[in-house]
Amino acid sequence: MQLILGISLFVSSIHVYGEEERFKLVQPITQPTIYSTVAKEVLLSAYAQIDTSVAFELYPAKRALRIADKGLADGLLARTPGLEQDYPNLRMLSVPVAFEKVYLFTHLPYLDPIDWRELTKYRVAVVRGFELAAQSFPRGTLVEVSSIDQAFKMLSQHKVDFVIDLESGYCSLKKLGLSEVKKLEPAMTELVVYHYLHKNHKNLMARLEPTLRQMEAQGEIKALYKKVHSTFNCETLPYIP
């Protein structure tokens, strides 16, 4: 009887410990995006391969960064490189976990391909915090707005000439019914994002990074991207856990 009781208590303690060790990753509240959906699929697979469970929580972008940096969460779903400069407690894993093409959207008639330098002649709107775009322009030359919906409305009202956004920006266009706004081919560039963990999780990083590297080498990350890209549906809001 004592043996059975002891085994029961041991099993119970394992279960509780497992629940306590579930890792929390934060991600920004955004429009549905291809890259965030891909990153989530990749990380769910990678963490499962090292027998670790994860949960995702949504916060405004800046707040998500602060929460992760303070150690109130275990890490960030995925962001661009260079966060350590402003958030010194975060550590980037070296394997890219997702990517998404970045496009120009416009109401203007068809134009020849435009590069970043030529865009400085025009009024260009971006969502505030889209660092990939902001870094390509002189400070103060972009029209920064709080949401992609606002950017596209300004574009439809001819208050700006272009909007720079991710490929999944078409979700906002579809929702707003702005059929006069077009996406220009080819893509301007590609957003590449990486997983971040708090510096206290060195042991986890040592287990997770080789797994991600193996997934990359075996083509699993690209396969997940192709799967998400081919089935991405604006109506399902896939960034919600």
Side-chain angles (χ1 to χ4, degrees), residues 125 128 144-155 176:
R128 190 175 293 108
E144 296 189 69
V145 297
S146 58
S147 71
I148 191 59
D149 285 8
Q150 182 183 357
F152 282 136
K153 286 176 182 177
M154 291 179 69
L155 187 59
L176 295 170

Side-chain angles (χ1 to χ4, degrees), residues 114-229:
I114 297 178
D115 64 23
W116 295 104
R117 290 169 297 179
E118 290 181 85
L119 281 176
T120 58
K121 305 173 186 176
Y122 297 90
R123 299 167 299 171
V124 181
V126 297
V127 176
R128 190 175 293 108
F130 190 4
E131 293 300 326
L132 181 64
Q135 290 167 2
S136 302
F137 286 81
R139 185 179 295 275
T141 59
L142 289 172
V143 179
E144 296 189 69
V145 297
S146 58
S147 71
I148 191 59
D149 285 8
Q150 182 183 357
F152 282 136
K153 286 176 182 177
M154 291 179 69
L155 187 59
S156 70
Q157 295 163 2
H158 296 197
K159 293 180 179 179
V160 295
D161 303 307
F162 294 98
V163 168
I164 300 174
D165 197 43
L166 299 167
E167 182 177 4
S168 46
Y170 71 77
C171 291
S172 291
L173 288 179
K174 183 177 179 180
K175 180 179 68 175
L176 295 170
L178 300 178
S179 58
E180 73 277 14
V181 175
K182 306 298 182 185
K183 180 182 75 176
L184 296 184
E185 296 282 359
M188 294 289 289
T189 187
E190 187 173 61
L191 176 75
V192 181
V193 292
Y194 297 78
H195 185 38
Y196 282 83
L197 288 170
H198 191 271
K199 66 180 183 181
N200 290 342
H201 293 306
K202 291 181 181 179
N203 291 338
L204 177 60
M205 292 179 216
R207 296 163 57 212
L208 184 63
E209 194 155 33
T211 301
L212 288 170
R213 193 171 294 114
Q214 183 179 34
M215 290 177 67
E216 180 185 42
Q218 294 177 346
E220 290 182 56
I221 294 177
K222 284 188 177 180
L224 285 169
Y225 167 79
K226 289 179 181 178
K227 171 191 167 188
V228 169
H229 188 270

Side-chain angles (χ1 to χ4, degrees), residues 37-51:
T37 310
V38 173
K40 187 174 178 182
E41 293 279 348
V42 168
L43 292 177
L44 283 172
S45 175
Y47 276 96
Q49 290 180 51
I50 60 171
D51 299 318

Side-chain angles (χ1 to χ4, degrees), residues 98-114:
F99 22 87
E100 183 171 353
K101 291 179 180 178
V102 177
Y103 283 92
L104 276 179
F105 296 82
T106 187
H107 59 76
L108 298 175
Y110 176 78
L111 298 168
D112 291 331
I114 297 178

